[in-house]
Amino acid sequence: MKKVYKALTIAGSDSGGGAGIQADLKTFQELKVFGMSALTAVTAQNTLGVQGVYPLSGEAVKQQIESIGTDLGTDAVKTGMLFSSEIIEAVAEKIKQFRWHNIVVDPVMIAKGGAPLLQEEAVSALKSALLPLATVITPNIPEAEVLTGITIRTLADRQEAAKRLREMGVKYVIIKGGHDEDETEAIDLLYDGDEFTYFQSKRITTKNTHGTGCTFAAAITAELAKGSSVKEAVQTAKAFIQAAIENELGIGHGHGPTNHWAYREKNK
């Protein structure tokens, strides 16, 4: 029988469908990986912003992960919005219990519209409990600044931030370039502890970028689940998100979602 590759996303729900669990599951499906989920919070959200955040208890999150771990298992895990230290510690406990590998941590902290999605007290829990378990971490520049405590303006700053993040126990660090001030290119930096690799793409001028971080990390997760190396996974994820941004859907009245089926259409 043909092997079915599986990926688990542990994240919040976006009622608008552009980010969070919804974006992750769409991405898994497009990359031919069976997607499973453990919800950490329900958000009332659309392209205009976040109207409400309703977190689950740590116990509710643990039980969902337990249900996956005792039956289906998984080839890779992606974490997104974790919200609180209680949830972070619950997730770390279960990852260790099931000895899962291929852990991709997207340190979701702030929504596109500015709403906080991670409590301030949870940042230390993220660093101490979850990052030592992570295969890959995928912060944008503002998230990398919060995690490392340094101001990032140049490529050298990003390199220093990557080194500091790796010292926290992460095997591979990707600092995304979407928030960089370069108006022509978006450059993502990958650091493996020995060398830096750069993934460059043309910057697309658009407001329809809701869920780009979730989608990018989910694509990496899907590729790792299928057995790709981290570098190969990032290469595919970069192409996936580039296609998703270039072929915008143009829905909603604010920061619209990306096009999750664009990569498949492009590669028919």
Side-chain angles (χ1 to χ4, degrees), residues 7-253:
L8 168 65
T9 170
I10 305 171
S13 167
D14 171 6
S15 55
I21 290 282
Q22 287 83 350
D24 294 345
L25 292 177
K26 290 173 188 178
T27 304
F28 293 164
Q29 185 75 12
E30 290 296 329
L31 292 171
K32 299 182 180 179
V33 171
F34 182 77
M36 303 164 290
S37 64
L39 277 175
T40 59
V42 173
T43 70
Q45 187 174 172
N46 54 29
T47 66
L48 298 173
V50 179
Q51 293 80 44
V53 177
Y54 308 94
L56 275 70
S57 67
E59 187 56 39
V61 175
K62 281 201 285 188
Q63 189 58 65
Q64 292 175 80
I65 300 171
E66 182 80 15
S67 295
I68 301 301
T70 56
D71 178 25
L72 296 153
T74 189
D75 298 301
V77 178
K78 183 229 172 195
T79 68
M81 174 190 176
L82 299 178
F83 190 72
S84 68
S85 56
E86 178 192 8
I87 292 173
I88 290 168
E89 287 161 7
V91 170
E93 176 189 324
K94 288 299 174 182
I95 288 173
K96 287 190 284 189
Q97 176 187 331
F98 292 112
R99 298 180 180 178
W100 284 332
H101 59 288
N102 290 331
I103 312 299
V104 178
V105 174
D106 182 20
V108 177
M109 295 180 180
I110 301 172
K112 274 286 186 293
L117 301 177
L118 183 71
Q119 294 179 335
E120 285 186 27
E121 49 83 22
V123 174
S124 60
L126 183 72
K127 290 195 281 189
S128 63
L130 194 56
L131 294 196
L133 305 176
T135 308
V136 183
I137 186 171
T138 63
N140 57 33
I141 289 173
E143 290 162 349
E145 288 181 328
V146 171
L147 290 169
T148 62
I150 67 174
T151 300
I152 300 173
R153 293 291 178 269
T154 66
L155 200 55
D157 294 336
R158 265 201 270 175
Q159 291 174 341
E160 177 59 29
K163 290 176 182 177
R164 294 193 188 191
L165 285 167
R166 197 169 186 281
E167 287 170 0
M168 296 177 193
V170 184
K171 294 182 179 68
Y172 294 85
V173 178
I174 300 162
I175 301 183
K176 297 172 292 190
H179 287 74
D180 193 15
E181 294 175 0
D182 189 320
E183 295 181 357
T184 59
E185 287 186 316
I187 302 173
D188 299 334
L189 175 155
L190 170 64
Y191 181 56
D192 64 3
D194 293 315
E195 64 179 5
F196 295 98
T197 305
Y198 303 96
F199 299 86
Q200 298 170 276
S201 61
K202 180 183 176 183
R203 186 177 293 276
I204 308 300
T205 302
T206 176
K207 66 175 183 177
N208 297 318
T209 57
H210 181 56
T212 50
C214 302
T215 300
F216 178 73
I220 293 171
T221 308
E223 291 303 301
L224 291 179
K226 292 189 288 188
S228 296
S229 69
V230 170
K231 192 175 287 188
E232 291 168 339
V234 175
Q235 189 76 55
T236 298
K238 184 74 169 172
F240 189 97
I241 197 60
Q242 188 72 10
I245 295 171
E246 285 178 347
N247 298 275
E248 57 189 8
L249 298 170
I251 58 176
H253 297 89

